[in-house]
Structures are given as C-alpha cells and as structure tokens.
Amino acid sequence: MTAGVLEDAGELVRLAQRTYADDDDAMSILADLDRRIHEPLRLALAGMVKAGKSTLLNAILGEQIAPTDAGECTRVVTWYRYAATPSITLHPHEGAPHRLPVRRDDGHLVLDLAGFAPEEIDWIDVGWPSGALTSMILIDTPGIASLSQDVSARSTMFLLPERSPSSADAIVYLLRHLHASDVRFLESFRDTAAGASETVNAVAVLSRADEIGSGRIDSLLSAGNVARRYESDGELASLALAVLPVAGLLAEGGRTLREGEFAALRELAALDRRDRERLLVSADRFARPTDTTTQSEQTRRELLGRFGIFGVRLATALIRGGVRDSTELAERLVQQSGLTDLTGFVRLHFRSRAVALKVRGVIHALEELVADRPHDGAREILAGIERLQSSSHPLRELALLSQIRTSRHPLPPADADDVARRIGGDGVSARSRLGLAESTSREEVRALVESELGRWRARGQSPLTDRATADICRVVIRSLEAIASEVAGDDRPTPHVVLAGGPGQGRGEGAHQQGEHGEHPLHGEGLPQEHSVLSARGEL
C-alpha cells in the first residue's frame, strides 16, 4: 500500500515537471519534491534559544557531532543525513555550494563557515555514517524568539514558509516552560506543515527536565508531572501529539560516556557520604576549590559540563547502588533521561507513518505551486491530487486523526478515543490499533476485529447516524478491514520486544514495559519505590 502511494506521488511530480518544464523556479521546487519522496523522513528539532536542540540531537545520534555552544554555526539550519563517509557542504543563498573540511575538536564537529556570515547561508548539509540517520534526516534549527531577529527569521523561513509547506515532515519542539512564543510557533507549524489544523506530526519535549526539580534526584518525576499538565492543556493538546520530559544533557552524557569520566564518577561515589553530600549540594559548590576530593577543579567542571549537577548526583548514586562498569552506567543514564520514550514515540508515530507524512507534504506543495503559477496543464495535476487523496487510506487516516486531535468531529469523547486508536493514534500495528498487547494471539485479534467490524458497520448504516459520523465510520471500517487482512496472513503472535522505560512513561513505544533486561527501572533513594534509584540505603 505505502509503495503504491509513493509511486503515485512520484508520478504526480513527474507530471508537474512535464507541465512546468519551461519554468526554472517551478522546476527547482519540483526537484526538491522528487528528492523528498525518495529520502528518509525529515525530522526537525526546533525551540527557543537554549532549549537544548543540539544536545538532544547528539543524544539521538550517540555522538557529539552538533555544536552546542553559542557560536555562529548554531545560527544556521543544519541537516544531518546518512553518508558512507563524512562530508560537510555549505549552501549559500547565492552562488555554488562549498565543500568544507571535516574536522573535530574534542569530539564535536567543527563547522567552519568559510568566511560566510550566517545570514548569507541557506543551510549546511552534513553527511555522517551514523546508523540513526539511515531511517531519518535530522535537522537542527536556530532558536525561535532569539534576541537576534535574523536568527529567528532563519528558523521561521525554513519551518514556516509563507507559500509552501514546511521542509520538515515532522517536528520535535523543545520547550523549557510553556511560553506564548511556543504556542504561536506550533500554531503556525500546524497550519503550514500540510494544510490547516492538521496536527499529527508534532511532539513537544519538556527539555532540560532535570532542572525542573532544581537538580534533585527526583527531578524527572517532577518533570513528568509538569509534562502531563502541559499535555492536558487545551492549547497544547491541539498542537502536539504528546508532551514528553527529557533531560537532554543526561541523555547525551549517557550515550557518549567515556571511560575516564566513569572513573572520575566512581571516585566521587567512593567518598564518605557526608563529604559527598556537601560536595554535591550545588553546582557552584561542586566546582569550588576543596580538599574533600583529590579531583582537580578542571575535572569537576568538565563533569558538570557533560552531565550537569543532576547527572553527577544520579551517576554516583547508581554506582553506589551496584553499577559496575561504564557500559551499564551509560544504559542506566539513558533509561532515566527520557530519551528512550522520545525515540520510541518518534518510531511509533512518525517513522511508521513516514510515507503518508511525506506524500501529504508533496501534495500540499503541488497545490501551492498550481495556485501560485496557473498553467493550462494544471487541471490534470489537480485531478491527480484529488484521485490520490480519495484513494489513499493512510492520507484519510491522517486527516481524520487530525480532526480527532483538534475536536473537529461529532463524536463523544469515549468514541473519539476509540476511533483515534483504530486509525493508528497509538501506533500502526494491528495489535496497537486494537489496544491489545503485542503477545496477544492471532485468534484473539481476529475475534476482536470481527466484533469491531460488525459494530462500526452497523453504526455506519444506521438511519440515525448523521453524515459526518457515517464518513468517520467508513474510515474506521477500512482500517479494520486492513487489520483483518493483516491478521489473516499472521500465523504467529508478533514477537514481544521489551524496551527500556523512563520518566514520563506511557506515551512512547514500550514505555509501559519494564527495563531493558526485564528488571524494573532503578530502585531506591529519594524517589517513590516504583521509580527509585537505589534500594533502601537512602544514600546520594
């Protein structure tokens, strides 16, 4: 099904290229649409200044590649895509692209702007041999609502173009606190991404979640509570699929932990409890000269820069709780950071719908092109768009899911939740659509599908059902029929893959499961028993 949708969209682009063959500007737009069809999902990271976008990108990649300081390179839109060998290409607004040397400084990639000012650069393209980039392109954007209007404008022009869809298929929007600027941006992205009021391609991240609890050992639990309040907020609920708490610095530190850092953290964990607690009372105290530890001030400042005071506290607590080596510590830090929930959510809601999200953006771009550049052959393009929209069930599911999210439907709340699940709001696998565990047997799945088909068919055919509800019933029935077809060829239960949980559990893939190896995530000090870090010793 998805391959056919992509093929049909590609044929539409080729039809438009034949129609606009004598229009250079139109051909440039169409060339980008053709690349978009064949590229992986484009996932942009956006947010206000200092929200932690580059840090989170590094955590996802598992490498310290994206610059995280306030240098000029962070003021330019930068694409990170898979390549067999590293490469950096600078694309100025005017003139030919420039290949830049590939250099790293203390692990970070050095993006030399080759004498160009940031405002002269359209974007930078980084090719990198990272497995995380084989299934999606990550796009790092400058800060929204920057004190520099030029910096904000670069993100706005890229993510919110006036007369074309966003170049991003989906967006991870980072916020530290819910600000009016965040709401305004997400409203604009919703309306620009692919047609008015379609909000199926944005997730909000409560970034720097460890700071919400002032770096206390239970900070991420506090952040989870705040995220749930934001998620139920009327404004944000219609603009993003979920709000997830993530401690970006902790995630990056865990994904890129070095052996020397583990040794330094182990030395801190071995200190007398009273000395350790005095040293870790604040970031300022930790970095001061002291005779409590033999570690130099430089070493402690570097630990703060890599993990923050929360990360240092958590790491030493984990080591005292039994973590024996750097590999295990890295895994535990990532588990607690919230990164697993986020990457699971992206996989569940964006990557699984990559084809539909890409095709939807291409269709919207073609509609804008025809509206801006009338042509004798445009009628055939519009007819093709209409056929594709009417025949592509994934696109109809996206449109209906958007209506459910923005309350533009005639259904009562319980039915709306049921419809959202059936059309893939909680995941696109058969069992996710039915609200069943992945270990549910084929016979149980088949029985529920048959029951649901009967229920929705009866409702759709009832003379008491209004037209809008009948239209919804037809989409749900088609989704259930697809499930029935899938189950008919499924001779065994889907393998159950257990993913690590983390703070804010409940919205990411596998968030309801236990830890990566079947154990419950971390127990003990300073946290409620079900989310604690150490057992009963109560040590920091």
Side-chain angles (χ1 to χ4, degrees):
M1 179 185 295
T2 56
V5 173
L6 272 181
E7 185 177 336
D8 291 343
E11 182 54 41
L12 270 179
V13 171
R14 289 189 288 273
L15 172 60
Q17 288 174 325
R18 293 192 294 271
T19 303
Y20 289 95
D22 57 349
D23 186 331
D24 291 342
D25 290 339
M27 291 299 286
S28 176
I29 294 172
L30 293 168
D32 180 67
L33 294 182
D34 184 62
R35 285 193 299 271
R36 188 168 188 167
I37 288 173
H38 296 95
E39 284 179 342
L41 179 82
R42 297 175 177 179
L43 181 66
L45 278 70
M48 297 179 71
V49 176
K50 293 294 183 182
K53 298 178 294 295
S54 300
T55 298
L56 181 58
L57 187 146
N58 286 335
I60 294 172
L61 293 178
E63 292 188 71
Q64 288 183 290
I65 297 177
T68 56
D69 58 18
E72 289 190 328
C73 53
T74 62
R75 299 164 59 190
V76 180
V77 174
T78 306
W79 295 49
Y80 295 85
R81 68 179 76 234
Y82 179 81
T85 57
S87 65
I88 308 174
T89 305
L90 182 150
H91 295 261
H93 287 293
E94 298 181 2
H98 287 250
R99 290 296 295 268
L100 303 178
V102 178
R103 296 187 294 109
R104 300 185 75 165
D105 180 17
D106 193 29
H108 288 88
L109 198 61
V110 176
L111 299 181
D112 182 356
L113 301 188
F116 286 89
E119 56 270 19
E120 297 175 308
I121 300 171
D122 188 10
W123 59 295
I124 295 176
D125 187 27
V126 177
W128 202 258
S130 168
L133 296 174
T134 57
S135 58
M136 60 183 174
I137 295 171
L138 294 175
I139 305 172
D140 196 7
T141 63
I144 305 297
S146 168
L147 293 176
S148 168
Q149 293 184 351
D150 289 340
V151 174
S152 292
R154 279 190 280 279
S155 282
T156 301
M157 287 187 294
F158 171 73
L159 293 167
L160 310 175
E162 292 183 0
R163 292 297 300 164
S164 62
S166 172
S167 294
D169 299 314
I171 187 171
V172 174
Y173 188 83
L174 282 69
L175 51 90
R176 298 178 66 178
H177 307 284
L178 187 57
H179 190 276
S181 297
D182 300 316
V183 174
R184 286 196 298 269
F185 175 86
L186 286 169
E187 286 175 338
S188 299
F189 182 78
R190 175 193 65 190
D191 296 339
T192 304
S197 298
E198 298 206 5
T199 177
V200 292
N201 57 347
V203 60
V205 166
L206 188 59
S207 64
R208 306 177 72 156
D210 52 301
E211 296 178 1
I212 290 178
S214 302
R216 297 190 310 270
I217 204 73
D218 62 347
S219 291
L220 294 181
L221 286 181
S222 300
N225 293 332
V226 173
R228 284 187 287 275
R229 288 201 299 271
Y230 283 164
E231 191 171 289
S232 62
D233 180 271
E235 288 183 306
L236 204 54
S238 65
L239 299 174
L241 290 173
V243 182
L244 304 176
V246 177
L249 192 62
L250 182 65
E252 182 192 43
R255 292 275 281 155
T256 59
L257 179 66
R258 304 160 186 161
E259 202 63 44
E261 292 168 341
F262 173 74
L265 292 167
R266 184 172 54 190
E267 181 180 337
L268 292 172
L271 294 174
D272 175 78
R273 175 180 177 176
R274 183 173 299 179
D275 290 340
R276 186 176 64 258
E277 289 179 347
R278 282 202 303 266
L279 188 63
L280 296 177
V281 71
S282 68
D284 181 63
R285 176 74 64 84
F286 184 65
R288 286 181 190 173
T290 180
D291 56 4
T292 300
T293 175
T294 59
Q295 286 183 355
S296 67
E297 295 174 50
Q298 178 66 24
T299 297
R300 283 178 276 132
R301 282 194 295 268
E302 289 175 354
L303 288 176
L304 278 179
R306 289 274 287 134
F307 303 94
I309 190 63
F310 171 78
V312 175
R313 289 170 177 165
L314 178 60
T316 56
L318 290 170
I319 292 170
R320 291 186 66 81
V323 168
R324 299 178 180 179
D325 54 43
S326 59
T327 300
E328 186 180 1
L329 178 61
E331 291 174 353
R332 294 298 185 93
L333 294 178
V334 172
Q335 284 178 10
Q336 290 298 295
S337 71
L339 180 66
T340 301
D341 270 358
L342 176 60
T343 54
F345 188 95
V346 168
R347 180 168 54 252
L348 192 67
H349 291 274
F350 297 155
R351 282 171 48 190
S352 63
R353 291 186 181 275
V355 170
L357 291 173
K358 288 194 296 179
V359 170
R360 193 183 62 161
V362 169
I363 286 175
H364 185 51
L366 289 173
E367 290 175 331
E368 294 286 357
L369 177 65
V370 169
D372 290 343
R373 300 172 182 272
H375 194 284
D376 292 341
R379 184 175 299 177
E380 188 178 354
I381 298 173
L382 292 176
I385 290 173
E386 186 175 350
R387 285 193 301 271
L388 181 57
Q389 288 177 321
S390 63
S391 63
S392 172
H393 186 66
L395 294 178
R396 291 199 299 272
E397 284 187 328
L398 282 181
L400 178 55
L401 185 58
S402 170
Q403 293 174 26
I404 298 296
R405 293 292 302 180
T406 53
S407 300
R408 296 182 293 110
H409 59 82
L411 301 173
D415 286 349
D417 291 343
D418 194 24
V419 168
R421 184 178 301 109
R422 299 296 183 259
I423 62 176
D426 292 338
V428 297
S429 72
R431 290 164 177 80
S432 295
R433 289 174 182 264
L434 295 171
L436 300 173
E438 291 299 317
S439 57
T440 305
S441 71
R442 179 167 60 97
E443 289 72 21
E444 291 175 284
V445 174
R446 179 183 294 163
L448 183 55
V449 170
E450 291 177 354
S451 172
E452 286 294 287
L453 274 171
R455 181 166 75 94
W456 286 99
R457 282 170 177 161
R459 184 168 183 175
Q461 295 168 2
S462 171
L464 300 178
T465 299
D466 61 84
R467 181 174 179 178
T469 302
D471 289 340
I472 292 173
C473 290
R474 281 192 286 272
V475 176
V476 175
I477 290 168
R478 179 66 186 88
S479 297
L480 289 169
E481 288 173 344
I483 296 173
S485 176
E486 178 182 337
V487 174
D490 184 7
D491 293 327
R492 60 186 181 279
T494 301
H496 186 195
V497 179
V498 178
L499 297 176
Q505 291 183 343
R507 297 307 302 266
E509 182 179 28
H512 62 289
Q513 303 295 345
Q514 290 183 335
E516 190 171 18
H517 303 291
E519 78 280 11
H520 196 287
L522 308 179
H523 290 285
E525 160 189 40
L527 303 180
Q529 182 62 28
E530 66 270 24
H531 287 289
S532 52
V533 177
L534 294 178
S535 53
R537 286 186 294 184
E539 295 179 324
L540 181 67

